[in-house]
Amino acid sequence: MVNFEYYNPARIVFGKDTESETGRLAKSCGAKRVLLHYGGGSIKRNGLYDKVVDSLRGAGLWFTELGGVKPNPRLSLVRAGIALCREQSIDFILAVGGGSTIDSAKAIAAGVVCKRDIWDYYMDGSLTPAGALPLGVVLTIPAAGSESSDSSVITNEEGNYKRYIGSEYLVPRFAILDPEVTFTMPPAQIANGCSDILAHLMERYFTRTPHVDFTDRLLEASMRTVLENGPLAIKNPCDYNVRAEIMWLGTIAHNNLLGTGRIGDWASHDIEHELSAMYDIAHGAGLAIVFPAWMKYVNKAHRDKFVQLALRVFSVSLPLDDADALVAEMIERLEGWYRRMGLPVRLHEAGVGSDRIGQMAARCVEGRGTVGNFMKLSAEDIAAIYSLAL
Amino acid sequence: MVNFEYYNPARIVFGKDTESETGRLAKSCGAKRVLLHYGGGSIKRNGLYDKVVDSLRGAGLWFTELGGVKPNPRLSLVRAGIALCREQSIDFILAVGGGSTIDSAKAIAAGVVCKRDIWDYYMDGSLTPAGALPLGVVLTIPAAGSESSDSSVITNEEGNYKRYIGSEYLVPRFAILDPEVTFTMPPAQIANGCSDILAHLMERYFTRTPHVDFTDRLLEASMRTVLENGPLAIKNPCDYNVRAEIMWLGTIAHNNLLGTGRIGDWASHDIEHELSAMYDIAHGAGLAIVFPAWMKYVNKAHRDKFVQLALRVFSVSLPLDDADALVAEMIERLEGWYRRMGLPVRLHEAGVGSDRIGQMAARCVEGRGTVGNFMKLSAEDIAAIYSLAL
């Protein structure tokens, strides 16, 4: 186990009808003038917008709005949000949506306070924001974990760069999680969300840090939860209990608790980011394509962790003296789960061919040489992984 | 799953030599005049006291001291601490020790700020502290979880009452956890600590709240961790990796994360509190005596959770059509683990006879009628459980 610092002061308010607490919670954070930030308008169709607005008004809070956040949230809208906040003397940002909306809100919150252009912080890992406006969240999509994480991922349309920042200032003050809000999500969106949650767990699981058995076991418990509840969530969209398990898991999977004392991998996220930046495919779908290919490429180099995952999570009971067969069976079960969730597991299933593999691989390592910690991957390795996913 | 709010803003600083951060962390919380609170002086023998004092001095902080906290911390010392803090205009309390020292520090922190006598809050569940001085911790014993919990347990020597309070104000601002500090703990103390950690997990596990599979699995992962590492910690006291697993688990087991969305039981803690208040035996040893007896008494009323625990944690593989045998085997394995840890599992092994069973049972339900949620227990039930433990 390596030394670590763990600090997560996000207040989670979880359960039925908790969105009615929005105004009270924002006020308790000192909010007076609120920017209400959201996505494509589904919150207006399902009634959540009205509930949140009523709660803000009930608490006597002034607010203005900025909608239109898209998946893979865009820098241009972030810049518009920063300008709006400065014009209107906004002192609190309320994100109502999924990971894209929250990440966009985080970028705005930091951008209002920081002196440099916000994109500088995303492009230069040595820069960290010196502060951010306080931020609250009403979550609609269990997936990204951004509702209590310290990070934000933004896409710059000029050049299709997808980059992230992390800072304690970006941890939301509160996050409201009502599983009923997720009942109206399209099946593809819940599938993408579950894939993202599973990926957050696997990225942390695949570590070279020795003696991390407690967090290994917590990660295994969490993986079993998403593997078992994911297909049920698609089959029975209005099962509160199933949605509640997934929603709470989605937060815990990415609030850094499960990464304490260990160095995670994160190569698959980096490899996927190039894919979704280039082709604008959903992050969860991209991960379903990338992760099995990554496993096929790296498993022989560091075998033990794959064997442990096969035994403890996928309950493979093949003999241990043929680890090749054992790990291959585990990867097939994982691919089977992705397929059962309706996700693509090959690039061609997402309409992607081989023509830009070299370009994506080169961009993936740009400015850093390699990606990943479990096994350091060069552009050549990454191209081989994309090819395994064809 | 039931609605819940989860908020834990304690900053955990974990790993080798982290006690050198004490001064910096206290200063970042606004400390100027510090009360250094500790126990019987083992921190002076093992060098921790000097390291902490050097760190406070290095940060330019003034401090005064109050040592002498005993296991089952006493109200009289708490009152002395409150008076000292008021005299010396203390603005920050630093607890260096285990659960007793931290609980004592929490009582002082709240007592300085609150207008009523601090014991009123412990005796009357309807009163909650209106504030507390900020508090930091350097942990020496992985056990109580008080280093990031919101609760404090104090014993009033006048009448041997052991009672608790809970409040967000009592969550420490930071907790420093260096596993090396635990190398010099006597084996009985690490055994008691592991028993307390296991009990915190089992109290939360035994719930009647349905559909809590995610937290069930996290609890099972945690129980496996303490069951496997506990005996290793006794066998190899200076194995950093083993101590690190137990120390981090001890915090997570009681920071409320694993109780989210579920109503825990807590009868065994209440039953044990009467035992340790009456006979001053260690809390962990008392739990090793009480928990198996509680299990024998309640398991037939609500069988499923016991069967799940037997299968998933204790790996009992007896046929499911004889649940009596299956659960009995699980309880025997649990008792075997306690014995391997060197703990008593019967009252007579701790020198306790049957003469005060009625008195303890009556006091246990005083002012509340019953204890426990998994099965509500009257004084008669509690007396039967003590008798099963003879």
Side-chain angles (χ1 to χ4, degrees):
Chain A
M1 205 185 294
V2 294
N3 282 14
F4 67 86
E5 194 165 319
Y6 176 71
Y7 175 61
N8 195 299
R11 182 184 299 273
I12 307 294
V13 180
F14 190 102
K16 287 182 193 179
D17 300 323
T18 44
E19 55 276 11
S20 64
E21 307 272 330
T22 311
R24 179 184 69 77
L25 289 162
K27 207 167 176 178
S28 75
C29 299
K32 291 195 182 72
R33 295 175 64 81
V34 176
L35 175 68
L36 177 57
H37 196 41
Y38 54 90
S42 65
I43 61 166
K44 292 195 173 168
R45 291 190 295 278
N46 68 15
L48 181 60
Y49 174 88
D50 291 335
K51 287 181 190 169
V52 167
V53 160
D54 284 352
S55 180
L56 291 175
R57 288 197 179 120
L61 295 172
W62 181 92
F63 68 91
T64 188
E65 311 189 5
L66 181 64
V69 182
K70 290 181 183 153
N72 300 319
R74 307 302 200 274
L75 178 63
S76 53
L77 191 70
V78 168
R79 287 189 172 136
I82 293 168
L84 179 61
C85 287
R86 286 177 174 157
E87 268 167 41
Q88 296 288 341
S89 306
I90 296 297
D91 59 18
F92 190 86
I93 301 185
L94 180 68
V96 183
S100 296
T101 299
I102 304 165
D103 282 7
S104 180
K106 287 175 172 177
I108 295 170
V112 172
V113 172
C114 295
K115 286 181 187 158
R116 302 180 68 138
D117 180 75
I118 187 64
W119 188 245
D120 292 351
Y121 299 91
Y122 285 81
M123 284 304 279
D124 182 347
S126 71
L127 294 175
T128 51
L133 289 183
L135 178 79
V137 169
V138 180
L139 184 66
T140 59
I141 304 174
S146 189
E147 63 276 12
S148 82
S149 81
D150 64 359
S151 61
S152 159
V153 179
I154 295 292
T155 296
N156 185 346
E157 314 90 301
E158 290 175 21
N160 284 335
Y161 285 97
K162 190 169 178 178
R163 291 288 183 268
Y164 84 100
I165 52 170
S167 159
E168 277 184 8
Y169 296 114
L170 301 182
V171 177
R173 299 295 177 93
F174 65 82
I176 291 172
L177 280 65
D178 178 354
E180 287 189 333
V181 166
T182 73
F183 287 180
T184 52
M185 281 171 68
Q189 210 169 36
I190 190 83
N192 285 329
C194 288
S195 170
D196 198 14
I197 292 168
L198 179 61
H200 289 156
L201 299 167
M202 293 196 295
E203 296 281 22
R204 291 180 168 91
Y205 193 71
F206 286 103
T207 181
R208 307 271 312 270
T209 312
H211 301 295
V212 288
D213 197 50
F214 174 42
T215 41
D216 266 4
R217 288 189 184 276
L218 294 178
L219 287 162
E220 290 157 0
S222 304
M223 285 189 255
R224 274 202 177 260
T225 302
V226 67
L227 291 170
E228 286 170 16
N229 285 280
L232 297 176
I234 294 198
K235 201 187 288 176
N236 312 309
C238 297
D239 186 327
Y240 181 87
N241 300 310
V242 167
R243 294 295 170 116
E245 302 279 11
I246 292 172
M247 201 168 204
W248 189 209
L249 170 60
T251 301
I252 299 301
H254 203 43
N255 77 351
N256 279 346
L257 175 74
L258 303 185
T260 49
R262 51 199 294 144
I263 314 284
D265 183 55
W266 301 102
S268 299
H269 262 74
D270 288 330
I271 296 170
E272 194 292 314
H273 280 175
E274 294 309 322
L275 199 58
S276 54
M278 186 72 80
Y279 294 98
D280 204 23
I281 63 176
H283 180 51
L287 288 164
I289 294 167
V290 170
F291 238 115
W294 175 85
M295 287 181 168
K296 288 169 195 167
Y297 191 77
V298 309
N299 84 80
K300 289 189 188 178
H302 308 293
R303 191 37 88 53
D304 291 356
K305 209 81 194 203
F306 285 92
V307 172
Q308 184 177 305
L309 183 66
L311 298 174
R312 290 193 185 170
V313 175
F314 288 88
S315 301
V316 181
S317 61
L318 291 169
L320 287 183
D321 63 4
D322 188 354
D324 279 351
L326 198 141
V327 173
E329 172 64 23
M330 185 267 285
I331 297 171
E332 283 205 29
R333 290 187 192 187
L334 174 62
E335 290 183 339
W337 182 82
Y338 284 131
R339 287 192 197 281
R340 194 174 164 200
M341 296 293 287
L343 292 163
V345 293
R346 294 291 181 272
L347 285 169
H348 70 83
E349 296 168 30
V352 175
S354 61
D355 47 321
R356 299 194 196 168
I357 282 180
Q359 190 188 347
M360 290 191 293
R363 288 168 58 114
C364 191
V365 298
E366 200 178 299
R368 48 189 172 180
T370 63
V371 298
N373 296 303
F374 189 71
M375 180 172 159
K376 296 211 177 291
L377 302 173
S378 65
E380 199 171 74
D381 296 316
I382 294 164
I385 289 170
Y386 283 128
S387 297
L388 278 170
L390 282 170
Chain B
M1 204 185 295
V2 294
N3 282 15
F4 67 86
E5 194 165 319
Y6 176 71
Y7 174 62
N8 195 299
R11 183 185 298 274
I12 306 295
V13 180
F14 190 103
K16 287 182 193 180
D17 301 323
T18 44
E19 54 275 11
S20 65
E21 306 272 330
T22 312
R24 179 185 67 78
L25 288 163
K27 206 168 178 178
S28 76
C29 299
K32 291 195 181 73
R33 295 175 65 81
V34 176
L35 175 69
L36 178 57
H37 195 41
Y38 56 90
S42 65
I43 62 167
K44 291 194 174 168
R45 291 189 296 278
N46 68 14
L48 181 61
Y49 174 89
D50 290 336
K51 287 181 192 169
V52 168
V53 160
D54 284 352
S55 180
L56 291 175
R57 288 198 179 118
L61 294 173
W62 182 93
F63 67 92
T64 188
E65 309 188 7
L66 180 65
V69 182
K70 290 181 182 154
N72 301 320
R74 308 301 201 274
L75 179 63
S76 54
L77 191 71
V78 167
R79 286 189 173 137
I82 293 168
L84 179 62
C85 286
R86 286 177 175 158
E87 267 166 42
Q88 296 289 342
S89 305
I90 295 297
D91 59 19
F92 189 85
I93 301 184
L94 180 68
V96 183
S100 297
T101 299
I102 303 166
D103 282 6
S104 180
K106 286 175 173 177
I108 296 169
V112 172
V113 172
C114 295
K115 286 181 184 159
R116 302 179 68 138
D117 180 75
I118 187 64
W119 188 247
D120 293 350
Y121 299 91
Y122 285 82
M123 284 305 278
D124 182 346
S126 70
L127 295 175
T128 50
L133 289 182
L135 178 81
V137 169
V138 180
L139 184 66
T140 60
I141 304 175
S146 188
E147 63 276 12
S148 82
S149 82
D150 63 359
S151 61
S152 159
V153 179
I154 294 293
T155 296
N156 185 345
E157 314 90 299
E158 291 176 21
N160 285 334
Y161 284 97
K162 190 170 179 178
R163 291 288 183 268
Y164 84 100
I165 51 171
S167 158
E168 275 181 11
Y169 296 114
L170 301 182
V171 177
R173 299 295 178 92
F174 65 82
I176 291 172
L177 280 65
D178 178 355
E180 288 189 335
V181 166
T182 73
F183 287 179
T184 53
M185 281 171 68
Q189 210 169 37
I190 189 84
N192 286 328
C194 288
S195 170
D196 198 15
I197 292 169
L198 180 61
H200 289 156
L201 299 167
M202 293 195 295
E203 296 282 21
R204 290 180 168 91
Y205 193 71
F206 286 104
T207 182
R208 307 270 313 270
T209 312
H211 302 294
V212 288
D213 197 51
F214 175 42
T215 41
D216 266 5
R217 288 188 184 276
L218 294 178
L219 287 161
E220 289 157 2
S222 303
M223 286 189 254
R224 275 201 177 262
T225 303
V226 67
L227 290 170
E228 286 169 16
N229 284 281
L232 296 176
I234 294 195
K235 201 186 288 176
N236 312 309
C238 297
D239 185 327
Y240 180 87
N241 300 310
V242 167
R243 294 294 171 118
E245 302 278 12
I246 292 172
M247 201 167 205
W248 189 209
L249 170 60
T251 301
I252 299 301
H254 203 44
N255 77 352
N256 279 344
L257 175 73
L258 304 185
T260 49
R262 50 199 295 144
I263 315 286
D265 183 55
W266 301 102
S268 298
H269 262 75
D270 288 329
I271 296 169
E272 193 292 313
H273 279 174
E274 294 309 322
L275 200 58
S276 56
M278 187 72 81
Y279 294 98
D280 205 21
I281 62 176
H283 180 52
L287 288 165
I289 294 167
V290 169
F291 237 115
W294 175 85
M295 288 181 168
K296 289 169 195 168
Y297 192 77
V298 308
N299 83 80
K300 289 190 190 181
H302 308 293
R303 192 36 89 54
D304 291 355
K305 209 83 194 200
F306 285 91
V307 172
Q308 184 177 306
L309 182 66
L311 298 174
R312 290 192 185 172
V313 175
F314 288 87
S315 301
V316 181
S317 61
L318 291 168
L320 287 183
D321 62 5
D322 188 355
D324 279 352
L326 196 142
V327 173
E329 172 64 22
M330 186 269 285
I331 296 172
E332 282 205 30
R333 290 187 191 188
L334 175 62
E335 289 183 340
W337 182 83
Y338 284 131
R339 289 191 196 281
R340 194 175 164 200
M341 296 293 287
L343 292 164
V345 293
R346 295 290 181 274
L347 284 168
H348 70 83
E349 295 168 30
V352 174
S354 61
D355 48 322
R356 297 193 197 169
I357 281 180
Q359 191 188 346
M360 289 192 293
R363 287 168 58 113
C364 191
V365 298
E366 202 178 297
R368 47 188 172 181
T370 63
V371 298
N373 296 303
F374 189 71
M375 179 171 159
K376 296 214 175 291
L377 301 173
S378 65
E380 200 171 72
D381 296 317
I382 295 164
I385 290 169
Y386 284 128
S387 298
L388 279 170
L390 282 169

